[in-house]
Each structure stands twice: as structure tokens, then as C-alpha cells.
Amino acid sequence: MESFVIVVTGATGTVGSKVVAGLRERGESVRALVRDTADVPAEWDEGVEPVAADFADPASLDAALAGADVIYLLVAVHSEMAAHERNVIDAAVRTGRRPRIVMHGAAGLEYRPEGVRFVGAHVAGYDHLLASGLPWTVVAPNGFYQNFLGQAESVKAGRLAVPGGEGAVSYVDARDVADAAVQALTTEGHDGRIYTLTGPAALTHAEIAAELGTVAGRAVEYLAVEPEAALTEMLKAGWDAWRAEGMVELYGLYAAGHAATVSADVEKLTGRPARSFADFATEHSAVFE
Ligand SMILES: NC(=O)c1ccc[n+]([C@@H]2O[C@H](COP(=O)([O-])OP(=O)(O)OC[C@H]3O[C@@H](n4cnc5c(N)ncnc54)[C@H](OP(=O)(O)O)[C@@H]3O)[C@@H](O)[C@H]2O)c1
């Protein structure tokens, strides 16, 4: 009997690595798309088949997707990310097998905010997916709790400095995003659905700073950085301009309160409530202490 082929793109990243692990826990074999097969995560066992491909190279995608039944489509943040999503979708069409695509987008995809390039890229990918005629599902997460791990040094110095204004954000744990994706990849009944993945509550950045302070054992103050100052800092730190400008746009969306909606879709998909930020912070307290 021919085996069922699940392909995971972005397989070494924050979410993709957790999707691979979750699929293995369910006993599924996984074809993991990587750029370099010589450098794969040590925890991958014989049930994970690494295949080399690049989102920018359609021929490599044809080889990687051959025989696919279902594909987790997650592209990295990149100035060409919309083209990367299109390339994977087009290669999926060329397999001739009508694989089901579970596309990893971003919250706001349905709302289509103007001038937020990361979300705009996913909207373009989503429109391309719809036009492809392939069966599809979208998981659309809000910002990840894990992003705050990158703020650990500043938190240790008693400050959370981001251009988030006063808006609340229903951030979500990347582990819940992966668990929801695994469910969408391995069970039926998700075709044509967009699942918005959020945490259980919308928190302002002042509330997040307070939570981080609780686990760090010291006061952590929220500093609402002006967008221009945040951009200057990111450019100074070596971010490429496209990405840095995109971050400022995204925080603008947060500041305006447009990322505060709480969705029940994590629980709908996984059968259990989404993890809280307080629990995430407690689990990662060593990083912030
Ligand atoms: N962070 C957030 O808060 C957030 C919230 C909502 C949505 N999102 C969306 O989530 C996605 C990012 O997810 P993530 O944080 O899990 O990503 P990540 O940790 O940055 O990982 C990106 C993955 O893509 C792979 N990759 C990069 N460029 C590639 C290329 N040219 N060809 C093939 N593979 C390539 C990387 O592989 P290598 O090992 O080869 O580098 C890695 O496996 C983006 O689409 C973003 O818009 C993020």
C-alpha cells in the first residue's frame, strides 16, 4: 500500500520544528523540507525524511513535493515571502495529486489590514491558494509568546521596550499553533476553514511587562517606544530594512487595538484551552531571571 505523505515546510523553525515533533508523537512519518540536509535537528529520528529545497527554487520544490498528500505551508518572514508561498502552491498543483494545503498565515488575514506587509504577503498567498483550486485550510496565528524570549536581556534590565502603544494583543503560544496545525494536518473536516489562533486573553504590553516582572522577581516597566525610534534601533542592530519596517507596521496594528480579538479556535482544534501568557512566562522564568 502506498504510504500517506505529509510534507512540512519551515520544518526547522519555531513552529515547524514543533509540528514535526507533534506529527511524530502521533506516529506519522514526515517529509521535512530543509535548505541543508547536512544540518538537520539532532532529535529527528528515522520517521523524518529531510529533503533539500528552497522556496525560491521551483525545481527543488517539485522534487520535494512529489507524491505529497498534505502539505504544511509555512514560509519565513522575507521580502519575497508572498512569492515563496506562491511557489510552493504552484509546485503543489504541478504534482497533479491535489494535495491538501494547510497554510500558516497570520491573524488579520480575513480583516486584510492596509499597510501591514507581513499580513499583506499572507493575504496574497491565501488569494493564490484559493485560485489554485487545491483543498485548503489556513491557520492564522496572532503574535507568538515566544517572541518575548528575544527581549530577555532588556527584561533582565527591568524594561520591556516595544512600539506597541496601549493596545492589547491576544498573543498565542507557538506550541498551541503547532498543536492546532498537527490536528488540521491529520484529521478531516477542515477544508475551506480559516482558524484564527490566539491565546485565551488580550494583554496590553504593560500587563505583559508585569507578568514578566512577576516571574523575573523584579519590577519590569513597559516603555512604549515611538515607531521611528524603534525602527532606528532595529536598523542599528542589523535588521534588514524590509523586516524592520514590517515590524513597526505590525506593532502599529497592535497599538491600534486591531490584534485584540480572542478566538476559541485553539481549543476547537486541539480539544483543550490555549496556554496562558502567565503559564508561558512561568515555564520560561529562567530566561528572564
Ligand atoms: N512570530 C510571530 O509572532 C508570528 C505571528 C503570526 C504569524 N507568523 C508567521 O509565521 C511564519 C514564521 O514562522 P516561524 O517563526 O516558525 O519561522 P522561523 O522560526 O523563522 O523559521 C523559518 C523556517 O523557514 C525556513 N526557510 C527560510 N527561508 C527558506 C527558504 N528560502 N527556503 C526554504 N526554507 C526556508 C527556515 O529554514 P532554515 O533552517 O533553512 O533557515 C526555517 O525552517 C511567518 O510566515 C510569519 O509571518 C509569525
Side-chain angles (χ1 to χ4, degrees), residues 9-16 33-36 53-56 74-77 81 84-85 104-107 118 122 141-144 147 254:
T9 69
T12 57
T14 304
V15 175
L33 193 151
V34 296
R35 280 191 286 188
D36 182 2
D54 194 301
F55 296 140
L74 180 152
V75 300
V77 169
M81 63 194 284
H84 290 170
E85 283 178 343
H104 173 104
F118 302 156
H122 289 305
N142 214 341
F144 305 156
N147 298 348
Y254 293 173

PDB file of all heavy atoms in Angstrom, residues 9-16 33-36 53-56 74-77 81 84-85 104-107 118 122 141-144 147 254, ligand 1:
ATOM      1  N   THR A   9       6.932  22.256   5.513  1.00  0.00           N
ATOM      2  CA  THR A   9       7.917  23.282   5.133  1.00  0.00           C
ATOM      3  C   THR A   9       8.222  24.138   6.378  1.00  0.00           C
ATOM      4  O   THR A   9       7.484  24.100   7.353  1.00  0.00           O
ATOM      5  CB  THR A   9       7.408  24.179   3.987  1.00  0.00           C
ATOM      6  OG1 THR A   9       6.334  25.000   4.481  1.00  0.00           O
ATOM      7  CG2 THR A   9       6.910  23.349   2.811  1.00  0.00           C
ATOM      8  N   GLY A  10       9.317  24.872   6.324  1.00  0.00           N
ATOM      9  CA  GLY A  10       9.715  25.655   7.500  1.00  0.00           C
ATOM     10  C   GLY A  10      10.010  24.749   8.682  1.00  0.00           C
ATOM     11  O   GLY A  10       9.864  25.139   9.854  1.00  0.00           O
ATOM     12  N   ALA A  11      10.444  23.517   8.389  1.00  0.00           N
ATOM     13  CA  ALA A  11      10.458  22.434   9.386  1.00  0.00           C
ATOM     14  C   ALA A  11      11.479  22.612  10.499  1.00  0.00           C
ATOM     15  O   ALA A  11      11.370  21.951  11.530  1.00  0.00           O
ATOM     16  CB  ALA A  11      10.694  21.101   8.677  1.00  0.00           C
ATOM     17  N   THR A  12      12.465  23.483  10.306  1.00  0.00           N
ATOM     18  CA  THR A  12      13.472  23.669  11.358  1.00  0.00           C
ATOM     19  C   THR A  12      13.163  24.880  12.242  1.00  0.00           C
ATOM     20  O   THR A  12      13.901  25.157  13.182  1.00  0.00           O
ATOM     21  CB  THR A  12      14.876  23.864  10.742  1.00  0.00           C
ATOM     22  OG1 THR A  12      14.815  24.983   9.854  1.00  0.00           O
ATOM     23  CG2 THR A  12      15.332  22.632   9.987  1.00  0.00           C
ATOM     24  N   GLY A  13      12.088  25.608  11.931  1.00  0.00           N
ATOM     25  CA  GLY A  13      11.828  26.875  12.618  1.00  0.00           C
ATOM     26  C   GLY A  13      11.037  26.728  13.908  1.00  0.00           C
ATOM     27  O   GLY A  13      10.782  25.613  14.387  1.00  0.00           O
ATOM     28  N   THR A  14      10.642  27.863  14.471  1.00  0.00           N
ATOM     29  CA  THR A  14       9.931  27.906  15.758  1.00  0.00           C
ATOM     30  C   THR A  14       8.689  27.020  15.736  1.00  0.00           C
ATOM     31  O   THR A  14       8.498  26.174  16.612  1.00  0.00           O
ATOM     32  CB  THR A  14       9.517  29.362  16.080  1.00  0.00           C
ATOM     33  OG1 THR A  14      10.673  30.171  16.053  1.00  0.00           O
ATOM     34  CG2 THR A  14       8.852  29.477  17.444  1.00  0.00           C
ATOM     35  N   VAL A  15       7.841  27.220  14.739  1.00  0.00           N
ATOM     36  CA  VAL A  15       6.595  26.446  14.679  1.00  0.00           C
ATOM     37  C   VAL A  15       6.819  25.104  13.982  1.00  0.00           C
ATOM     38  O   VAL A  15       6.387  24.050  14.471  1.00  0.00           O
ATOM     39  CB  VAL A  15       5.491  27.252  13.940  1.00  0.00           C
ATOM     40  CG1 VAL A  15       4.234  26.415  13.770  1.00  0.00           C
ATOM     41  CG2 VAL A  15       5.178  28.532  14.703  1.00  0.00           C
ATOM     42  N   GLY A  16       7.515  25.138  12.833  1.00  0.00           N
ATOM     43  CA  GLY A  16       7.671  23.915  12.035  1.00  0.00           C
ATOM     44  C   GLY A  16       8.329  22.787  12.818  1.00  0.00           C
ATOM     45  O   GLY A  16       7.934  21.616  12.694  1.00  0.00           O
ATOM     46  N   LEU A  33      10.947  19.591   4.706  1.00  0.00           N
ATOM     47  CA  LEU A  33      11.677  20.413   3.738  1.00  0.00           C
ATOM     48  C   LEU A  33      12.711  21.273   4.480  1.00  0.00           C
ATOM     49  O   LEU A  33      12.356  21.990   5.415  1.00  0.00           O
ATOM     50  CB  LEU A  33      10.667  21.279   2.991  1.00  0.00           C
ATOM     51  CG  LEU A  33      11.116  21.996   1.737  1.00  0.00           C
ATOM     52  CD1 LEU A  33       9.950  22.171   0.791  1.00  0.00           C
ATOM     53  CD2 LEU A  33      11.716  23.341   2.082  1.00  0.00           C
ATOM     54  N   VAL A  34      13.975  21.135   4.091  1.00  0.00           N
ATOM     55  CA  VAL A  34      15.060  21.916   4.714  1.00  0.00           C
ATOM     56  C   VAL A  34      15.938  22.491   3.604  1.00  0.00           C
ATOM     57  O   VAL A  34      15.927  21.989   2.479  1.00  0.00           O
ATOM     58  CB  VAL A  34      15.933  21.049   5.662  1.00  0.00           C
ATOM     59  CG1 VAL A  34      15.126  20.541   6.846  1.00  0.00           C
ATOM     60  CG2 VAL A  34      16.570  19.885   4.920  1.00  0.00           C
ATOM     61  N   ARG A  35      16.694  23.512   3.971  1.00  0.00           N
ATOM     62  CA  ARG A  35      17.602  24.036   2.934  1.00  0.00           C
ATOM     63  C   ARG A  35      18.890  23.233   2.876  1.00  0.00           C
ATOM     64  O   ARG A  35      19.522  23.140   1.842  1.00  0.00           O
ATOM     65  CB  ARG A  35      17.888  25.515   3.204  1.00  0.00           C
ATOM     66  CG  ARG A  35      16.740  26.377   2.701  1.00  0.00           C
ATOM     67  CD  ARG A  35      17.073  27.823   2.710  1.00  0.00           C
ATOM     68  NE  ARG A  35      17.063  28.371   4.056  1.00  0.00           N
ATOM     69  CZ  ARG A  35      17.169  29.658   4.326  1.00  0.00           C
ATOM     70  NH1 ARG A  35      17.314  30.510   3.335  1.00  0.00           N
ATOM     71  NH2 ARG A  35      17.140  30.096   5.564  1.00  0.00           N
ATOM     72  N   ASP A  36      19.273  22.643   4.021  1.00  0.00           N
ATOM     73  CA  ASP A  36      20.557  21.957   4.080  1.00  0.00           C
ATOM     74  C   ASP A  36      20.374  20.603   4.791  1.00  0.00           C
ATOM     75  O   ASP A  36      20.203  20.567   6.008  1.00  0.00           O
ATOM     76  CB  ASP A  36      21.555  22.842   4.847  1.00  0.00           C
ATOM     77  CG  ASP A  36      22.928  22.228   4.925  1.00  0.00           C
ATOM     78  OD1 ASP A  36      23.134  21.134   4.352  1.00  0.00           O
ATOM     79  OD2 ASP A  36      23.806  22.852   5.558  1.00  0.00           O
ATOM     80  N   ALA A  53      15.276  21.688  -0.313  1.00  0.00           N
ATOM     81  CA  ALA A  53      14.575  22.554  -1.275  1.00  0.00           C
ATOM     82  C   ALA A  53      14.649  23.987  -0.778  1.00  0.00           C
ATOM     83  O   ALA A  53      14.889  24.232   0.406  1.00  0.00           O
ATOM     84  CB  ALA A  53      13.113  22.131  -1.425  1.00  0.00           C
ATOM     85  N   ASP A  54      14.468  24.901  -1.725  1.00  0.00           N
ATOM     86  CA  ASP A  54      14.457  26.329  -1.389  1.00  0.00           C
ATOM     87  C   ASP A  54      13.178  26.934  -1.954  1.00  0.00           C
ATOM     88  O   ASP A  54      12.816  26.641  -3.103  1.00  0.00           O
ATOM     89  CB  ASP A  54      15.704  27.011  -1.989  1.00  0.00           C
ATOM     90  CG  ASP A  54      15.917  28.395  -1.399  1.00  0.00           C
ATOM     91  OD1 ASP A  54      15.011  29.253  -1.532  1.00  0.00           O
ATOM     92  OD2 ASP A  54      16.965  28.607  -0.779  1.00  0.00           O
ATOM     93  N   PHE A  55      12.508  27.755  -1.155  1.00  0.00           N
ATOM     94  CA  PHE A  55      11.254  28.376  -1.606  1.00  0.00           C
ATOM     95  C   PHE A  55      11.449  29.190  -2.893  1.00  0.00           C
ATOM     96  O   PHE A  55      10.495  29.430  -3.619  1.00  0.00           O
ATOM     97  CB  PHE A  55      10.698  29.319  -0.529  1.00  0.00           C
ATOM     98  CG  PHE A  55      10.290  28.640   0.754  1.00  0.00           C
ATOM     99  CD1 PHE A  55      10.567  29.230   1.977  1.00  0.00           C
ATOM    100  CD2 PHE A  55       9.604  27.430   0.740  1.00  0.00           C
ATOM    101  CE1 PHE A  55      10.176  28.624   3.168  1.00  0.00           C
ATOM    102  CE2 PHE A  55       9.207  26.813   1.933  1.00  0.00           C
ATOM    103  CZ  PHE A  55       9.500  27.418   3.149  1.00  0.00           C
ATOM    104  N   ALA A  56      12.668  29.617  -3.134  1.00  0.00           N
ATOM    105  CA  ALA A  56      12.935  30.449  -4.314  1.00  0.00           C
ATOM    106  C   ALA A  56      13.267  29.608  -5.543  1.00  0.00           C
ATOM    107  O   ALA A  56      13.479  30.163  -6.623  1.00  0.00           O
ATOM    108  CB  ALA A  56      14.084  31.407  -4.007  1.00  0.00           C
ATOM    109  N   LEU A  74       4.536  26.803   5.481  1.00  0.00           N
ATOM    110  CA  LEU A  74       4.987  27.892   6.365  1.00  0.00           C
ATOM    111  C   LEU A  74       6.242  28.493   5.763  1.00  0.00           C
ATOM    112  O   LEU A  74       7.254  27.805   5.610  1.00  0.00           O
ATOM    113  CB  LEU A  74       5.289  27.360   7.783  1.00  0.00           C
ATOM    114  CG  LEU A  74       5.769  28.415   8.798  1.00  0.00           C
ATOM    115  CD1 LEU A  74       5.393  27.999  10.223  1.00  0.00           C
ATOM    116  CD2 LEU A  74       7.277  28.689   8.719  1.00  0.00           C
ATOM    117  N   VAL A  75       6.156  29.759   5.373  1.00  0.00           N
ATOM    118  CA  VAL A  75       7.347  30.437   4.853  1.00  0.00           C
ATOM    119  C   VAL A  75       7.879  31.401   5.908  1.00  0.00           C
ATOM    120  O   VAL A  75       7.139  31.870   6.774  1.00  0.00           O
ATOM    121  CB  VAL A  75       7.066  31.203   3.531  1.00  0.00           C
ATOM    122  CG1 VAL A  75       6.570  30.258   2.448  1.00  0.00           C
ATOM    123  CG2 VAL A  75       6.097  32.361   3.743  1.00  0.00           C
ATOM    124  N   ALA A  76       9.167  31.667   5.809  1.00  0.00           N
ATOM    125  CA  ALA A  76       9.813  32.603   6.732  1.00  0.00           C
ATOM    126  C   ALA A  76       9.463  34.040   6.351  1.00  0.00           C
ATOM    127  O   ALA A  76       9.109  34.326   5.204  1.00  0.00           O
ATOM    128  CB  ALA A  76      11.330  32.411   6.675  1.00  0.00           C
ATOM    129  N   VAL A  77       9.584  34.946   7.322  1.00  0.00           N
ATOM    130  CA  VAL A  77       9.426  36.376   7.037  1.00  0.00           C
ATOM    131  C   VAL A  77      10.587  36.810   6.149  1.00  0.00           C
ATOM    132  O   VAL A  77      11.761  36.619   6.500  1.00  0.00           O
ATOM    133  CB  VAL A  77       9.408  37.187   8.352  1.00  0.00           C
ATOM    134  CG1 VAL A  77       9.516  38.678   8.073  1.00  0.00           C
ATOM    135  CG2 VAL A  77       8.142  36.885   9.141  1.00  0.00           C
ATOM    136  N   MET A  81       8.416  36.748   0.647  1.00  0.00           N
ATOM    137  CA  MET A  81       7.608  35.674   1.246  1.00  0.00           C
ATOM    138  C   MET A  81       6.320  35.383   0.480  1.00  0.00           C
ATOM    139  O   MET A  81       5.885  34.218   0.426  1.00  0.00           O
ATOM    140  CB  MET A  81       7.337  35.955   2.736  1.00  0.00           C
ATOM    141  CG  MET A  81       6.532  37.191   3.038  1.00  0.00           C
ATOM    142  SD  MET A  81       6.626  37.623   4.818  1.00  0.00           S
ATOM    143  CE  MET A  81       5.528  36.413   5.536  1.00  0.00           C
ATOM    144  N   HIS A  84       7.309  33.218  -2.272  1.00  0.00           N
ATOM    145  CA  HIS A  84       7.651  31.891  -1.749  1.00  0.00           C
ATOM    146  C   HIS A  84       6.379  31.053  -1.539  1.00  0.00           C
ATOM    147  O   HIS A  84       6.345  29.871  -1.872  1.00  0.00           O
ATOM    148  CB  HIS A  84       8.433  32.032  -0.438  1.00  0.00           C
ATOM    149  CG  HIS A  84       9.814  32.584  -0.631  1.00  0.00           C
ATOM    150  ND1 HIS A  84      10.621  32.979   0.405  1.00  0.00           N
ATOM    151  CD2 HIS A  84      10.543  32.797  -1.761  1.00  0.00           C
ATOM    152  CE1 HIS A  84      11.770  33.410  -0.067  1.00  0.00           C
ATOM    153  NE2 HIS A  84      11.749  33.326  -1.376  1.00  0.00           N
ATOM    154  N   GLU A  85       5.341  31.697  -0.993  1.00  0.00           N
ATOM    155  CA  GLU A  85       4.080  30.959  -0.812  1.00  0.00           C
ATOM    156  C   GLU A  85       3.510  30.544  -2.169  1.00  0.00           C
ATOM    157  O   GLU A  85       3.081  29.401  -2.355  1.00  0.00           O
ATOM    158  CB  GLU A  85       3.069  31.814  -0.024  1.00  0.00           C
ATOM    159  CG  GLU A  85       3.378  31.835   1.469  1.00  0.00           C
ATOM    160  CD  GLU A  85       2.437  32.705   2.298  1.00  0.00           C
ATOM    161  OE1 GLU A  85       1.717  33.564   1.729  1.00  0.00           O
ATOM    162  OE2 GLU A  85       2.444  32.540   3.542  1.00  0.00           O
ATOM    163  N   HIS A 104       0.062  28.256   6.852  1.00  0.00           N
ATOM    164  CA  HIS A 104       0.315  29.022   8.070  1.00  0.00           C
ATOM    165  C   HIS A 104       0.364  30.501   7.673  1.00  0.00           C
ATOM    166  O   HIS A 104       1.296  30.938   7.004  1.00  0.00           O
ATOM    167  CB  HIS A 104       1.640  28.546   8.660  1.00  0.00           C
ATOM    168  CG  HIS A 104       2.141  29.321   9.827  1.00  0.00           C
ATOM    169  ND1 HIS A 104       2.057  28.853  11.120  1.00  0.00           N
ATOM    170  CD2 HIS A 104       2.740  30.524   9.903  1.00  0.00           C
ATOM    171  CE1 HIS A 104       2.593  29.737  11.939  1.00  0.00           C
ATOM    172  NE2 HIS A 104       3.015  30.764  11.231  1.00  0.00           N
ATOM    173  N   GLY A 105      -0.670  31.247   8.049  1.00  0.00           N
ATOM    174  CA  GLY A 105      -0.713  32.664   7.694  1.00  0.00           C
ATOM    175  C   GLY A 105      -0.466  33.528   8.909  1.00  0.00           C
ATOM    176  O   GLY A 105       0.486  33.303   9.654  1.00  0.00           O
ATOM    177  N   ALA A 106      -1.333  34.510   9.111  1.00  0.00           N
ATOM    178  CA  ALA A 106      -1.226  35.385  10.281  1.00  0.00           C
ATOM    179  C   ALA A 106      -2.607  35.924  10.590  1.00  0.00           C
ATOM    180  O   ALA A 106      -3.421  36.132   9.672  1.00  0.00           O
ATOM    181  CB  ALA A 106      -0.262  36.534  10.015  1.00  0.00           C
ATOM    182  N   ALA A 107      -2.881  36.146  11.881  1.00  0.00           N
ATOM    183  CA  ALA A 107      -4.154  36.742  12.272  1.00  0.00           C
ATOM    184  C   ALA A 107      -4.318  38.060  11.530  1.00  0.00           C
ATOM    185  O   ALA A 107      -3.345  38.772  11.284  1.00  0.00           O
ATOM    186  CB  ALA A 107      -4.190  36.961  13.782  1.00  0.00           C
ATOM    187  N   PHE A 118       3.617  42.069   6.401  1.00  0.00           N
ATOM    188  CA  PHE A 118       3.661  40.623   6.697  1.00  0.00           C
ATOM    189  C   PHE A 118       2.273  39.997   6.460  1.00  0.00           C
ATOM    190  O   PHE A 118       2.154  38.938   5.852  1.00  0.00           O
ATOM    191  CB  PHE A 118       4.088  40.348   8.144  1.00  0.00           C
ATOM    192  CG  PHE A 118       5.431  40.906   8.541  1.00  0.00           C
ATOM    193  CD1 PHE A 118       5.720  41.161   9.879  1.00  0.00           C
ATOM    194  CD2 PHE A 118       6.417  41.170   7.597  1.00  0.00           C
ATOM    195  CE1 PHE A 118       6.951  41.663  10.271  1.00  0.00           C
ATOM    196  CE2 PHE A 118       7.657  41.669   7.973  1.00  0.00           C
ATOM    197  CZ  PHE A 118       7.917  41.932   9.318  1.00  0.00           C
ATOM    198  N   HIS A 122       0.726  37.325   3.394  1.00  0.00           N
ATOM    199  CA  HIS A 122      -0.091  36.120   3.603  1.00  0.00           C
ATOM    200  C   HIS A 122      -1.451  36.241   2.894  1.00  0.00           C
ATOM    201  O   HIS A 122      -1.989  35.242   2.415  1.00  0.00           O
ATOM    202  CB  HIS A 122      -0.308  35.874   5.101  1.00  0.00           C
ATOM    203  CG  HIS A 122       0.931  35.411   5.812  1.00  0.00           C
ATOM    204  ND1 HIS A 122       1.651  34.310   5.411  1.00  0.00           N
ATOM    205  CD2 HIS A 122       1.585  35.900   6.901  1.00  0.00           C
ATOM    206  CE1 HIS A 122       2.691  34.136   6.222  1.00  0.00           C
ATOM    207  NE2 HIS A 122       2.670  35.091   7.125  1.00  0.00           N
ATOM    208  N   PRO A 141      -2.221  32.544  13.081  1.00  0.00           N
ATOM    209  CA  PRO A 141      -1.920  32.890  14.473  1.00  0.00           C
ATOM    210  C   PRO A 141      -1.688  34.376  14.692  1.00  0.00           C
ATOM    211  O   PRO A 141      -1.210  35.092  13.803  1.00  0.00           O
ATOM    212  CB  PRO A 141      -0.640  32.109  14.764  1.00  0.00           C
ATOM    213  CG  PRO A 141      -0.005  31.870  13.437  1.00  0.00           C
ATOM    214  CD  PRO A 141      -1.077  31.957  12.384  1.00  0.00           C
ATOM    215  N   ASN A 142      -1.976  34.814  15.909  1.00  0.00           N
ATOM    216  CA  ASN A 142      -1.551  36.142  16.346  1.00  0.00           C
ATOM    217  C   ASN A 142      -0.067  36.051  16.733  1.00  0.00           C
ATOM    218  O   ASN A 142       0.547  34.979  16.617  1.00  0.00           O
ATOM    219  CB  ASN A 142      -2.416  36.595  17.523  1.00  0.00           C
ATOM    220  CG  ASN A 142      -2.634  38.099  17.489  1.00  0.00           C
ATOM    221  OD1 ASN A 142      -1.884  38.827  16.832  1.00  0.00           O
ATOM    222  ND2 ASN A 142      -3.645  38.570  18.181  1.00  0.00           N
ATOM    223  N   GLY A 143       0.525  37.145  17.187  1.00  0.00           N
ATOM    224  CA  GLY A 143       1.936  37.126  17.597  1.00  0.00           C
ATOM    225  C   GLY A 143       2.207  36.030  18.613  1.00  0.00           C
ATOM    226  O   GLY A 143       1.329  35.677  19.403  1.00  0.00           O
ATOM    227  N   PHE A 144       3.429  35.501  18.577  1.00  0.00           N
ATOM    228  CA  PHE A 144       3.766  34.375  19.464  1.00  0.00           C
ATOM    229  C   PHE A 144       4.295  34.873  20.813  1.00  0.00           C
ATOM    230  O   PHE A 144       5.094  35.816  20.867  1.00  0.00           O
ATOM    231  CB  PHE A 144       4.879  33.496  18.856  1.00  0.00           C
ATOM    232  CG  PHE A 144       4.606  32.964  17.475  1.00  0.00           C
ATOM    233  CD1 PHE A 144       5.661  32.615  16.638  1.00  0.00           C
ATOM    234  CD2 PHE A 144       3.305  32.803  17.011  1.00  0.00           C
ATOM    235  CE1 PHE A 144       5.419  32.120  15.367  1.00  0.00           C
ATOM    236  CE2 PHE A 144       3.059  32.305  15.736  1.00  0.00           C
ATOM    237  CZ  PHE A 144       4.128  31.963  14.915  1.00  0.00           C
ATOM    238  N   ASN A 147       8.084  35.277  20.988  1.00  0.00           N
ATOM    239  CA  ASN A 147       8.807  36.490  20.555  1.00  0.00           C
ATOM    240  C   ASN A 147       9.456  37.193  21.752  1.00  0.00           C
ATOM    241  O   ASN A 147      10.485  37.854  21.611  1.00  0.00           O
ATOM    242  CB  ASN A 147       7.848  37.478  19.868  1.00  0.00           C
ATOM    243  CG  ASN A 147       7.222  36.904  18.604  1.00  0.00           C
ATOM    244  OD1 ASN A 147       7.639  35.870  18.102  1.00  0.00           O
ATOM    245  ND2 ASN A 147       6.197  37.572  18.106  1.00  0.00           N
ATOM    246  N   TYR A 254      -1.002  46.511  16.379  1.00  0.00           N
ATOM    247  CA  TYR A 254      -1.211  46.159  17.787  1.00  0.00           C
ATOM    248  C   TYR A 254      -1.634  47.404  18.576  1.00  0.00           C
ATOM    249  O   TYR A 254      -2.575  47.362  19.367  1.00  0.00           O
ATOM    250  CB  TYR A 254       0.074  45.602  18.414  1.00  0.00           C
ATOM    251  CG  TYR A 254       0.568  44.269  17.892  1.00  0.00           C
ATOM    252  CD1 TYR A 254       1.805  43.766  18.307  1.00  0.00           C
ATOM    253  CD2 TYR A 254      -0.180  43.507  16.997  1.00  0.00           C
ATOM    254  CE1 TYR A 254       2.275  42.540  17.862  1.00  0.00           C
ATOM    255  CE2 TYR A 254       0.290  42.281  16.536  1.00  0.00           C
ATOM    256  CZ  TYR A 254       1.520  41.807  16.979  1.00  0.00           C
ATOM    257  OH  TYR A 254       1.987  40.604  16.529  1.00  0.00           O
TER     258      TYR A 254
HETATM  259  N1  LIG B   1       6.470  35.366  15.020  1.00  0.00           N
HETATM  260  C1  LIG B   1       5.196  35.681  15.129  1.00  0.00           C
HETATM  261  O1  LIG B   1       4.777  36.274  16.123  1.00  0.00           O
HETATM  262  C2  LIG B   1       4.227  35.309  14.039  1.00  0.00           C
HETATM  263  C3  LIG B   1       2.858  35.501  14.245  1.00  0.00           C
HETATM  264  C4  LIG B   1       1.960  35.140  13.235  1.00  0.00           C
HETATM  265  C5  LIG B   1       2.426  34.599  12.057  1.00  0.00           C
HETATM  266  N2  LIG B   1       3.775  34.431  11.883  1.00  0.00           N
HETATM  267  C6  LIG B   1       4.232  33.844  10.621  1.00  0.00           C
HETATM  268  O2  LIG B   1       4.976  32.689  10.972  1.00  0.00           O
HETATM  269  C7  LIG B   1       5.956  32.457   9.957  1.00  0.00           C
HETATM  270  C8  LIG B   1       7.286  32.274  10.625  1.00  0.00           C
HETATM  271  O3  LIG B   1       7.213  31.110  11.442  1.00  0.00           O
HETATM  272  P1  LIG B   1       8.422  30.710  12.399  1.00  0.00           P
HETATM  273  O4  LIG B   1       8.598  31.786  13.414  1.00  0.00           O
HETATM  274  O5  LIG B   1       8.186  29.325  12.840  1.00  0.00           O
HETATM  275  O6  LIG B   1       9.635  30.794  11.365  1.00  0.00           O
HETATM  276  P2  LIG B   1      11.204  30.692  11.658  1.00  0.00           P
HETATM  277  O7  LIG B   1      11.448  30.195  13.031  1.00  0.00           O
HETATM  278  O8  LIG B   1      11.813  31.957  11.212  1.00  0.00           O
HETATM  279  O9  LIG B   1      11.632  29.528  10.647  1.00  0.00           O
HETATM  280  C9  LIG B   1      11.569  29.715   9.270  1.00  0.00           C
HETATM  281  C10 LIG B   1      11.713  28.385   8.574  1.00  0.00           C
HETATM  282  O10 LIG B   1      11.698  28.600   7.156  1.00  0.00           O
HETATM  283  C11 LIG B   1      12.859  28.018   6.590  1.00  0.00           C
HETATM  284  N3  LIG B   1      13.292  28.809   5.438  1.00  0.00           N
HETATM  285  C12 LIG B   1      13.706  30.104   5.456  1.00  0.00           C
HETATM  286  N4  LIG B   1      13.971  30.509   4.213  1.00  0.00           N
HETATM  287  C13 LIG B   1      13.764  29.445   3.397  1.00  0.00           C
HETATM  288  C14 LIG B   1      13.888  29.236   2.005  1.00  0.00           C
HETATM  289  N5  LIG B   1      14.292  30.221   1.175  1.00  0.00           N
HETATM  290  N6  LIG B   1      13.578  28.023   1.505  1.00  0.00           N
HETATM  291  C15 LIG B   1      13.187  27.023   2.312  1.00  0.00           C
HETATM  292  N7  LIG B   1      13.043  27.150   3.652  1.00  0.00           N
HETATM  293  C16 LIG B   1      13.331  28.356   4.186  1.00  0.00           C
HETATM  294  C17 LIG B   1      13.887  28.005   7.690  1.00  0.00           C
HETATM  295  O11 LIG B   1      14.823  27.012   7.399  1.00  0.00           O
HETATM  296  P3  LIG B   1      16.409  27.166   7.631  1.00  0.00           P
HETATM  297  O12 LIG B   1      16.685  26.260   8.798  1.00  0.00           O
HETATM  298  O13 LIG B   1      16.999  26.669   6.372  1.00  0.00           O
HETATM  299  O14 LIG B   1      16.671  28.615   7.897  1.00  0.00           O
HETATM  300  C18 LIG B   1      13.021  27.662   8.901  1.00  0.00           C
HETATM  301  O15 LIG B   1      12.756  26.279   8.934  1.00  0.00           O
HETATM  302  C19 LIG B   1       5.909  33.655   9.024  1.00  0.00           C
HETATM  303  O16 LIG B   1       5.162  33.295   7.886  1.00  0.00           O
HETATM  304  C20 LIG B   1       5.193  34.712   9.850  1.00  0.00           C
HETATM  305  O17 LIG B   1       4.519  35.649   9.042  1.00  0.00           O
HETATM  306  C21 LIG B   1       4.670  34.755  12.846  1.00  0.00           C
END
